[in-house]
Amino acid sequence: MLFMIAISCSGCTDGSAYRSGSPDESGSLSSTTKLKILYATVEAGSEAVVNAAENYEKQTGIGVEVSTFPYNSLQEKVFTELSRMSSEYDLIAVDTPWMPKIIQHLEPMTPFIRQAASTADLDDFIAKLFLDSSVFDKDMPQRAPLGMDTINLDRITAAGFDVWSLPIQSNVLTVSYRKDLFQNEANRAAFKKRFKRELSIPTTMDEYKDIAQFFTRDTNHDGTIDMYGTTLMAGKHEAGFVDYKSFLSVFGGKLFDEKLNPVFNSESGVKALETYGSWILKDKVTPADVLTYTWDEVEIAFGFGQAAMGMNVHDMNLHPNLQGGQVGYFMLPGVKNGDTLVRGPHFGSWGLAINKYSEHKEAAYELADYLTSADVQRDYLRFRQHVTRKSAYAAAKAVLDESLREYYEVLGRSLSVGVGRPRIKNYDQVSETVQTAVQQYLTGKKDARTALDEAAAKVDQLMRESGY
């Protein structure tokens, strides 16, 4: 179902998607006015949100129009609308990296939250996710928010922050795997004989590599490898940056220090890149064309049975022709640091933000509050939406589909340890620079140390040019 809406919305570059009429809203909206939402397509769960908007209209009589755009078109549309101070859209879907660039054009939600009856519901959001995607200092958006396990609005504002969006969809790097292959008795016996331990879900990167090596094989005995242990998103793309950033985190590295100096060329950064590259170049546990893979190609390769495991920011399914195939999920493995297992999967979220130039800000907030509410998020589960509330994940434990139930359990746990993106205005430039360094190493043009050192020097210059 999600696949179908992705196709239908990908062509909506004129913003046409869902339209309806609107009666009076206690005098605040005219009989012909509609609340308008500028939203993404499948990457932010558009099917679930459009359905919820329809329900909102039925319940309140307030008209809602949801205009959907694929990611790149949406980013361009958002920046254009806000730069010209357009009041066309009341609510805007914001991917976290955009916030430092556009925060001056958004309306802080804190006053509306304080006035709303649902203020206490903030503590139902996953705290780490809410803080990363929604809590910013308008004048210094690069500032990291306070750490807290439960959202406390008073603490947030006392520290100089405001709430700028409500999280509606979350993404985090997880691993899909062929549960049927893991449970196969012949595979289990062969793995135990070779590695002297049970074939089970890996918790460390070393264990993951062993399993990837085990499942890399010639299944039809024609002399050619036709199944690989894992996929990676190793193309020069944002997906490749997500992969490297996750490896960097589990090896204990960071992109920047507290003063926004680039530090990804540390020993941890070099180790992360060399490990990532060794799976492709030395161990050859990935498909041969993996240097072209993004999240789309990974899904195709895994779905057609070319890999036993695959990393992606959403759940993956098998093609119907793979009869007997069963998909399971587990958290991205970590790296042991003494007795501590360090995990750091990439994560990020979409939030609903109020356009500063909207003529219906209060009504816009009420709509955003509804679309991200606990009851509505529980309904989102049937659309496989990546929900953002604790109560929605608790409700997911009752989902009948075992595979989906397992995915939500893994997604929720992964979000609690995920590592977000840097809060910088020039995020795209930084990502592009790191992507280039990773590709230079993977294609043999530079060693890992040289590639990362040169990239760090360029990022340092970019940061200075951006005023950091």
Side-chain angles (χ1 to χ4, degrees), residues 205 209 213 230-235 240 243-245 247-248 251 268-288 290-291 311 437-444 446-449 451-452:
M205 286 294 198
K209 187 186 76 169
Q213 288 178 316
T230 188
T231 59
L232 291 172
M233 300 183 290
D243 259 9
Y244 173 67
K245 174 179 166 295
F247 273 63
L248 174 67
F251 277 96
S268 296
V270 173
K271 177 68 173 176
L273 182 54
E274 289 179 340
T275 300
Y276 186 76
S278 70
W279 291 9
I280 300 169
L281 305 173
K282 177 185 174 185
D283 302 310
K284 300 186 185 301
V285 296
T286 61
V290 74
L291 295 189
M311 300 180 187
V438 171
Q439 281 293 298
Q440 288 172 336
Y441 172 65
L442 295 179
T443 55
K446 294 177 182 176
D447 62 83
R449 166 63 68 189
L452 292 177

Side-chain angles (χ1 to χ4, degrees), residues 8-18 37-41 46 50 66-70 74:
S8 64
C9 289
S10 292
C12 298
T13 53
D14 65 347
S16 60
Y18 166 76
I37 305 175
L38 183 54
Y39 204 73
T41 51
S46 53
V50 167
V66 183
S67 299
T68 59
F69 291 77
L74 176 67

Side-chain angles (χ1 to χ4, degrees), residues 6 18 44 51 67 74 77 79 95 100 108 110 146 163 176 187 214 218 242 249 283 328 344 415 435 441 463 466:
Y18 166 76
N51 179 76
S67 299
L74 176 67
K77 179 71 171 174
F79 287 11
D95 192 14
T110 309
L146 299 172
V163 176
S176 303
N187 285 337
F214 175 75
D218 173 11
V242 163
S249 296
D283 302 310
L415 287 171
Q435 292 171 36
Y441 172 65
M463 297 297 286
S466 295

Side-chain angles (χ1 to χ4, degrees), residues 107-142:
E107 186 74 14
M109 286 187 164
T110 309
F112 300 108
I113 295 172
R114 290 197 184 281
Q115 295 171 14
S118 60
T119 301
D121 289 346
L122 283 184
D123 61 10
D124 186 37
F125 284 107
I126 295 174
K128 189 178 183 69
L129 184 155
F130 185 90
L131 294 166
D132 181 75
S133 61
S134 301
V135 177
F136 286 83
D137 177 342
K138 178 181 179 181
D139 297 321
M140 295 182 65
Q142 68 270 24

Side-chain angles (χ1 to χ4, degrees), residues 19-72:
R19 303 177 185 278
S20 58
S22 168
D24 228 20
E25 188 214 349
S26 303
S28 63
L29 293 177
S30 72
S31 60
T32 57
T33 301
K34 296 185 289 288
L35 292 174
K36 295 185 178 182
I37 305 175
L38 183 54
Y39 204 73
T41 51
V42 66
E43 59 267 79
S46 53
E47 185 182 22
V49 174
V50 167
N51 179 76
E54 292 172 345
N55 291 337
Y56 185 77
E57 180 179 78
K58 292 173 184 176
Q59 293 175 28
T60 66
I62 299 170
V64 180
E65 177 181 314
V66 183
S67 299
T68 59
F69 291 77
Y71 188 91
N72 290 336

